[in-house]
Amino acid sequence: MNYWLVKSEPSTYSIDDLKKEKQTFWSGVRNYTARNNLKAMAKGDICIFYHSVKDPAIVGLCKVVKEHYQDPTTDETAWVVVDVAFLEKFKKVIPLGEVKNHPKLANMELLRQSRLSVQKVTQEEFDYIILLANGK
DNA sequence: GCCAACGTTGGC
DNA sequence: GCCAACGTTGGC
């Protein structure tokens, strides 16, 4: 089982939207590295939901419920989606500025390669983020 | 295969 | 709105 981080601009699709819908297909990835990460996701993997651009922060969790398949929003066969289900919205979100303050999170791809929209997260990083979200 | 030009993402 | 980082495209 693996951990991931997926990004979305809240004005496009927020954690609240996912909470309302309970489940969605994660579409719109048009970058090969991110696409490869989508393909590597397995059912049951956990994804950290990150809001980019406006109030950038780690805001919650979702779960892979269906592995990758052709992106229904395009005819180009290069692109795929996965289905994710809402798990939780953190009561205490973790702003990007705070992520930067924690040495244990300093190596996150989020900080090193900020443009990648689907990233791998290590078990250690994930555990620490859960600690922070629970008020530390 | 190299590299310049250009477009996009995302933080601030 | 600006700019840095990065990916993609296209000329050679």
Side-chain angles (χ1 to χ4, degrees):
Chain A
M1 137 123 161
N2 285 307
Y3 299 99
W4 308 90
L5 181 146
V6 293
K7 286 192 205 177
S8 183
E9 286 193 43
S11 60
T12 304
Y13 194 86
S14 73
I15 185 100
D16 293 317
D17 294 325
L18 181 59
K19 185 176 183 179
K20 229 173 292 168
E21 290 190 59
K22 306 251 194 310
Q23 185 172 328
T24 191
F25 57 94
W26 201 263
S27 62
V29 169
R30 296 293 183 270
N31 166 286
Y32 287 102
T33 306
R35 193 272 320 255
N36 290 343
N37 284 336
L38 284 182
K39 285 189 171 183
M41 287 182 182
K43 194 174 172 180
D45 283 359
I46 305 293
C47 300
I48 292 168
F49 200 119
Y50 176 80
H51 280 173
S52 64
V53 181
K54 185 175 178 293
D55 301 327
I58 290 169
V59 293
L61 300 176
C62 55
K63 179 179 170 180
V64 178
V65 291
K66 185 177 179 190
E67 294 177 15
H68 71 91
Y69 56 97
Q70 165 74 34
D71 187 336
T73 66
T74 178
D75 289 334
E76 293 177 49
T77 55
W79 309 117
V80 301
V81 299
V82 297
D83 285 356
V84 295
F86 176 80
L87 277 187
E88 73 169 293
K89 180 184 177 183
F90 293 150
K91 289 194 181 64
K92 177 180 171 294
V93 304
I94 308 165
L96 180 62
E98 194 182 331
V99 174
K100 288 181 177 171
N101 280 338
H102 293 286
K104 285 186 178 171
L105 302 179
N107 280 324
M108 283 189 75
E109 281 187 88
L110 182 64
L111 303 181
R112 292 187 294 114
Q113 212 197 323
S114 64
R115 288 186 49 194
L116 185 59
S117 63
V118 182
Q119 316 181 344
K120 196 143 196 302
V121 174
T122 67
Q123 172 94 57
E124 291 74 24
E125 288 161 352
F126 181 82
D127 290 345
Y128 195 66
I129 284 163
I130 296 305
L131 277 182
L132 291 178
N134 289 333
K136 191 170 184 182

